[in-house]
Amino acid sequence: MTIRPILIHPDPRLKKLCDPVTEITDDLRAAAEDMLETMYDAPGVGLAGPQVGLMSRILVMDCIKDPEAKPRPMVLMNPEVTWTSDETNTYEEGCLSIPEQYADITRPKEVKVRWLGLDGATHEEEFDGLWATCVQHEIDHLDGKLFIDYLTPLKRQLITRKMQKLKREKARA
């Protein structure tokens, strides 16, 4: 397993629509393991393929935050939301591709998601709370959408400028 570098906004790959997974290969299984290791190391609760330069519809997540609880790593390929609740939740969202920037984002409180698992089977589950927010955030990544796209143009521009500055500083270091 390898910790992969996480792309920082603005990077054109973060704004692209990802290709569906058509075949579960050993390379894809290895990439999923790398993504989980990268997510845990960051640390984060979710990570989508394009954030590590993998332009396929794959995401990983684990929203168990209690260090005493058993982790629940999940790998979702070709995920699609099949149902959303009318009730919404507002969470302060962040993103590993937009470090140290947070904003309140309102999304459906509960969602039902169908996806392809590494076992080749179709899975479906209803998520709520942080799990629902996380899976929607990561699916957005697969569609080339970032959480800052929900903000006003001014707020989005301010965050983008901060990220450009951060990238310049990292390049100099």
Side-chain angles (χ1 to χ4, degrees):
M1 291 193 290
T2 305
I3 294 172
R4 296 185 178 205
I6 297 172
L7 301 179
I8 302 298
H9 167 73
D11 184 298
R13 291 169 286 185
L14 295 173
K15 300 301 285 177
K16 285 192 168 39
L17 183 66
C18 291
D19 297 323
V21 172
T22 55
E23 186 181 5
I24 301 168
T25 62
D26 288 341
D27 285 348
L28 192 64
R29 285 186 187 87
E33 288 297 318
D34 289 352
M35 287 173 65
L36 282 165
E37 187 171 340
T38 301
M39 177 191 75
Y40 287 128
D41 181 70
V45 295
L47 186 69
Q51 292 181 274
V52 292
L54 180 60
M55 302 311 294
S56 296
R57 294 189 74 77
I58 182 172
L59 67 86
V60 298
M61 63 181 193
D62 183 351
C63 296
I64 303 291
K65 292 185 139 191
D66 179 356
E68 303 299 313
K70 185 178 181 224
R72 187 176 179 224
M74 298 184 75
V75 177
L76 288 70
M77 295 175 293
N78 303 334
E80 59 178 312
V81 175
T82 59
W83 172 84
T84 61
S85 64
D86 292 333
E87 192 178 349
T88 59
N89 253 359
T90 301
Y91 270 100
E92 183 181 61
E93 291 189 29
C95 181
L96 297 176
S97 291
I98 308 173
E100 297 176 26
Q101 302 300 310
Y102 304 92
D104 286 341
I105 306 295
T106 301
R107 299 180 185 270
K109 183 178 189 277
E110 298 174 79
V111 293
K112 188 180 282 186
V113 178
R114 182 183 309 125
W115 72 91
L116 179 67
L118 286 174
D119 58 2
T122 299
H123 300 266
E124 190 167 57
E125 187 172 330
E126 204 167 295
F127 297 102
D128 67 356
L130 178 59
W131 286 91
T133 296
C134 181
V135 75
Q136 291 173 84
H137 175 113
E138 300 309 330
I139 289 172
D140 274 354
H141 273 297
L142 304 179
D143 294 330
K145 188 169 188 172
L146 303 172
F147 85 92
I148 60 171
D149 293 332
Y150 291 94
L151 304 177
T152 65
L154 180 61
K155 286 182 181 173
R156 190 168 51 247
Q157 191 175 46
L158 288 171
I159 290 173
T160 298
R161 284 189 186 140
K162 287 179 185 176
M163 293 301 98
Q164 288 168 327
K165 182 180 177 190
L166 175 71
K167 287 171 86 168
R168 282 193 303 272
E169 288 168 359
K170 282 186 171 187
R172 279 191 223 115

